[in-house]
Amino acid sequence: MKVIEPKNYNFSNVKFFSPMQLGEHYILYTRYIDCLNKVREDLNSDTTYAICNSNYSDIRSAIKSKTFCYDSIKLHELYFENLTGNNTRIQGRIQSLIDEIFGSYENFIEKFKCIALSMRGWVLFCYDWYHDEYYIYGQDSHDEGVMLYAEPLIVLDVYEHAYMIDYGINRGNYIDAFISNLDFRIINKRLSNLNFWKTE
Ligand SMILES: [Fe+2]
């Protein structure tokens, strides 16, 4: 069975975040990977399927944990990937897309920030394959409120662990710091991949 390994990220150009904040967050991400590897192992064992019960059973716990840990890993990787401190000036296709949908980048940020202050887990700007539309949405946890068919373009972690060391309970300042480190080359790359699949 394939073992999932954590990815490496270069945070050396990320501004307004301490190495401790980023380091602790990264360690947390690796714990989700440990969890997923354990769950995958358990799902390969017949004993996990001994009792099939929706109140309490090993298989129920394993299935619930698989979604929780796997979504957390995917979301954290998307978050770390777009938090680099490089290419921070909005440009290219993402700029014209945001202008087209929100009128201006400032309007987009205002709405994105409002949603980020209103959710407990994650905020995403995404493309929805189902109705061919773009929107910002939020999740209260890794596995709660996940939108089917939503392809992430910008991903922000708003769990307290993402900012508490540097910002205490001041989430607004953390969101501003995140936005100032957004890598628009990465976001444009996600958009290009999307356009590739859309035209296939
Ligand atoms: Fe996180």
Side-chain angles (χ1 to χ4, degrees), residues 153-197:
L153 297 170
I154 298 175
V155 176
L156 166 61
D157 189 341
V158 291
Y159 273 94
E160 280 84 358
H161 67 242
Y163 60 89
M164 198 58 111
I165 293 171
D166 286 347
Y167 293 96
I169 58 168
N170 195 337
R171 191 191 290 184
N173 285 0
Y174 158 68
I175 297 166
D176 292 340
F178 167 80
I179 290 164
S180 70
N181 281 291
L182 260 184
D183 189 328
F184 287 99
R185 191 185 64 82
I186 297 290
I187 297 159
N188 275 314
K189 197 168 143 227
R190 290 174 184 166
L191 212 43
S192 305
N193 292 342
L194 192 67
N195 288 335
F196 172 80
W197 291 111

